[in-house]
Amino acid sequence: MKKRNNHGQALVEYVLIVAIISVITIAVVNYFGGYVKDSITKTSCSLVDQEYVPGAKPGEGECKEKEIE
């Protein structure tokens, strides 16, 4: 009997696993990306002593100068 080479099959399985993980990661980043961006913006606003103003959608928030009262 002839010995079969199964190395190609294992490589295809690994490529499929990496592709599935990549698609899931991209979907999660697209879904939560705006929230993460808002968190980073809030933190940077506090570091430069400005006020965070939320946007209409997640990820659209920005820093504004604090109003002097």
Side-chain angles (χ1 to χ4, degrees), residues 27-37:
V28 167
V29 168
N30 282 335
Y31 185 75
F32 292 113
Y35 300 106
V36 173
K37 184 177 178 183

Side-chain angles (χ1 to χ4, degrees), residues 17-51:
I17 291 170
V18 169
I20 290 170
I21 291 171
S22 299
V23 168
I24 291 171
T25 304
I26 291 170
V28 167
V29 168
N30 282 335
Y31 185 75
F32 292 113
Y35 300 106
V36 173
K37 184 177 178 183
D38 278 343
S39 297
I40 293 170
T41 304
K42 285 179 188 177
T43 304
S44 65
C45 289
S46 65
L47 290 174
V48 295
D49 198 30
Q50 292 184 347
E51 183 179 0

